[in-house]
Amino acid sequence: MSRFDRTPDLDLLFRPRAVAVAGASTNVDSPGHDYLEAIKRQGFAGPIYPINPKADEVAGLKAYPALREVPGQVDLVISCVPAPAVPDLVEQCGEKGVRFLHLFTGRFSETGDAEAARLEQQIARRAAELGVRILGPNGMGLYHPAGGLSFRPDLPADRGGAAFLSQSGNNAVEVVTRGNARGLAFGKVVNYGNGLDITPGELLRYLADDPETAVIGAYVEGVPDGRGFFEGLRAAAARKPVIIHKAGRTRAGARSAASHTAALAGQAELWSTVLRQAGAIEARNQEQLLDLMVGAALLGAPAGRRIAIVGGGGGRSVQSADAAEENGFEVVPLPGAVRERVRERAPMLADWVGNPVDQSILAGSGLSSNGLLELMLDGDHYDLAIANVGEDWFFGRPDAAERLKHACGRLAAIAAGSAKPVAVVLGPTETRNREHRALVDEVRDDFVAKGIAVFPSVERAAFALGRLAAWKEQRDAGR
């Protein structure tokens, strides 16, 4: 039986009926305590069994001296015990009929030690004989809010359609935290570590058919099964957007990856070719990964390349035009029909304003960049839009907070009501004025709460939309 033949079993991995934590600890500053608190805070509905031979209670839960002493059925065991103790834990999993063993436990093949690698393979063979699937080792495991699972107590409880696979645990935390702040609600997140048994390829194949998942992101250093990874990636990318951040592209990065998760990083050119052939979207850093996931989840791919750009002063308009064209968009001049509607409302601007819309020339005209955005989106002249908030202009005006909030509220309504993708650009809070920083953060949070895709620069917005447009074109051409 191949790995993919067993893929449906993964439903139980994400929705176990009962969980045990081996190596559960009364030390609140330990992984064996964190997992218990994390699962409790995510509202896991089934029994949670701490395994600790020296304690009667851990984290307010009755503890058991060994897994075999647990009275009920257990579907998932989380291992926080030292590596030498894992073989016995595997045997107990077999006795209890446990389906999944997550090995947070590390110090196996990733150390480069031959004996540790042999122990890892011994564990894999015995687990397979007993019918126990292994996630890890050397991985933080699962974050699935709908199933009440988490690998940290402080992760959000929001539920959504973004899935994320990561070879790195800390990277998974960063993506969940930063992505959530930008409006990404996650469904299934997996830090698979060394990928000894359950591989990223198998997880991709599972997510391809998962009705809970709409967008997939992944951080990959190397893969244990190249063919399986490609097949899983191709299956997933045929159904939904898949964004892959391939790390370890350089010689230095490859060395670091090998010591981190025993990954074979591979050549950058080869990886780019593999991702393109599979239909995935490549990201070169975490910022690109997040931008692409935000774009895919909140905007989708544009239907064409004709772009409307509004907001910002003259310099920002020029930069916006450059960024759009460099990412494959056509900055279509203001159509005659739109220009005539401008003439009706602001005659002095009719022969002056263009695309991009320079916000600095609108003062006193009675027409705002939001008003022009509405005119440009009305009709079939443009396929998408980028709207620069231009917050720095507001800061120089009286009643800056009220004006900025009013303008952003209207922009949010326009973006939410548009059938075409509208990316909002709100700059980072790079100012020493604390009031301005707080105001920008407040406005950004309001956009996010309304489901609007916000980017910190027009360059990053144009990059993400350009890559999504190219992905759609490639997918449509292959049909």
Side-chain angles (χ1 to χ4, degrees):
M1 179 182 293
S2 74
R3 225 181 235 113
F4 284 168
D5 291 334
R6 295 184 288 167
T7 293
D9 289 354
L10 296 187
D11 287 335
L12 197 60
L13 172 65
F14 291 102
R15 292 187 182 273
R17 292 161 295 188
V19 176
V21 178
S25 175
T26 56
N27 178 2
V28 297
D29 190 23
S30 68
H33 195 278
D34 277 353
Y35 277 104
L36 293 172
E37 288 294 340
I39 295 170
K40 286 169 59 180
R41 293 186 191 184
Q42 282 293 341
F44 183 73
I48 306 171
Y49 302 110
I51 309 300
N52 185 321
K54 299 179 180 179
D56 296 326
E57 182 180 288
V58 181
L61 299 168
K62 175 179 171 55
Y64 296 85
L67 178 62
R68 59 172 58 93
E69 302 295 326
V70 170
Q73 175 62 42
V74 176
D75 296 319
L76 171 64
V77 172
I78 301 171
S79 168
C80 297
V81 302
V86 171
D88 179 62
L89 181 60
V90 170
E91 295 297 330
Q92 294 189 55
C93 285
E95 293 175 25
K96 289 287 296 180
V98 172
R99 300 288 296 279
F100 293 98
L101 171 61
H102 159 219
L103 292 176
F104 170 78
T105 305
R107 299 191 178 182
F108 287 105
S109 59
E110 74 278 5
T111 65
D113 180 76
E115 188 58 36
R118 280 193 291 270
L119 177 61
E120 183 179 272
Q121 290 303 313
Q122 172 191 331
I123 290 167
R125 287 193 296 272
R126 185 54 178 156
E129 292 170 356
L130 296 172
V132 179
R133 301 299 312 275
I134 291 178
L135 178 64
N138 186 36
M140 294 177 70
L142 305 169
Y143 166 61
H144 182 219
L149 299 177
S150 181
F151 44 69
R152 273 186 39 156
D154 60 337
L155 296 182
D158 300 349
R159 304 177 182 184
F164 185 63
L165 308 179
S166 180
Q167 205 154 353
S168 162
N170 286 333
N171 190 77
V173 173
E174 291 172 5
V175 168
V176 169
T177 302
R178 296 180 66 191
N180 184 259
R182 295 184 60 187
L184 287 176
F186 288 89
K188 297 179 172 72
V189 176
V190 186
N191 169 220
Y192 55 86
N194 293 2
L196 178 64
D197 175 23
I198 299 175
T199 65
E202 180 176 2
L203 289 164
L204 284 166
R205 182 69 171 266
Y206 172 80
L207 293 173
D209 298 320
D210 178 34
E212 187 180 67
T213 299
V215 175
I216 303 170
Y219 169 84
V220 177
E221 293 170 359
V223 293
D225 59 337
R227 173 53 60 180
F229 177 81
F230 180 80
E231 291 175 354
L233 180 60
R234 184 170 56 182
R239 294 167 173 81
K240 51 199 73 171
V242 181
I243 299 99
I244 305 292
H245 174 195
K246 174 62 183 74
R249 299 185 305 275
T250 65
R251 286 192 296 271
R255 288 196 301 270
S256 180
S259 64
H260 177 211
T261 55
L264 180 61
Q267 296 178 346
E269 297 82 2
L270 176 61
W271 267 97
S272 294
T273 301
V274 167
L275 297 180
R276 184 171 58 253
Q277 290 179 347
I281 307 170
E282 182 178 9
R284 289 299 183 98
N285 52 53
Q286 190 180 97
E287 283 70 30
Q288 290 183 2
L289 173 76
L290 286 168
D291 288 345
L292 287 162
M293 290 187 71
V294 166
L298 302 183
L299 292 174
R305 295 279 188 161
R306 300 169 302 168
I307 190 168
I309 306 171
V310 303
R316 174 61 64 85
S317 297
V318 175
Q319 294 169 54
S320 297
D322 283 343
E325 191 165 298
E326 286 170 352
N327 283 282
F329 291 109
E330 182 184 0
V331 186
V332 179
L334 205 65
V338 174
R339 196 172 295 280
E340 287 308 308
R341 295 182 67 181
V342 172
R343 194 180 307 278
E344 295 171 3
R345 299 170 60 177
M348 62 180 293
L349 291 178
D351 298 320
W352 186 9
V353 71
N355 180 31
V357 174
D358 179 352
Q359 182 174 299
S360 66
I361 71 173
L362 304 180
S365 69
L367 190 61
S368 67
S369 60
N370 282 334
L372 275 161
L373 177 61
E374 285 186 301
L375 294 177
M376 295 167 84
L377 289 173
D378 184 18
D380 60 356
H381 306 293
Y382 298 99
D383 302 304
L384 73 159
I386 292 178
N388 292 288
V389 171
E391 62 280 359
D392 291 321
W393 179 86
F394 288 93
F395 292 150
R397 311 305 302 161
D399 304 319
E402 290 73 15
R403 291 188 185 207
L404 180 60
K405 289 179 182 179
H406 174 77
C408 289
R410 187 178 176 201
L411 175 55
I414 294 170
S418 173
K420 303 169 184 176
V422 178
V424 170
V425 175
L426 181 66
T429 51
E430 294 176 347
T431 172
R432 297 183 69 178
N433 188 311
R434 293 184 179 182
E435 292 181 359
H436 290 177
R437 289 203 301 266
L439 180 57
V440 170
D441 285 339
E442 181 182 350
V443 169
R444 182 182 293 106
D445 288 346
D446 188 58
F447 275 127
V448 167
K450 294 174 179 175
I452 308 301
V454 183
F455 297 83
S457 72
V458 69
E459 288 80 11
R460 286 173 60 174
F463 168 83
L465 286 165
R467 287 294 179 91
L468 289 169
W471 167 79
K472 182 179 185 299
E473 291 162 359
Q474 180 185 357
R475 187 192 61 179
D476 292 346
R479 286 179 174 174

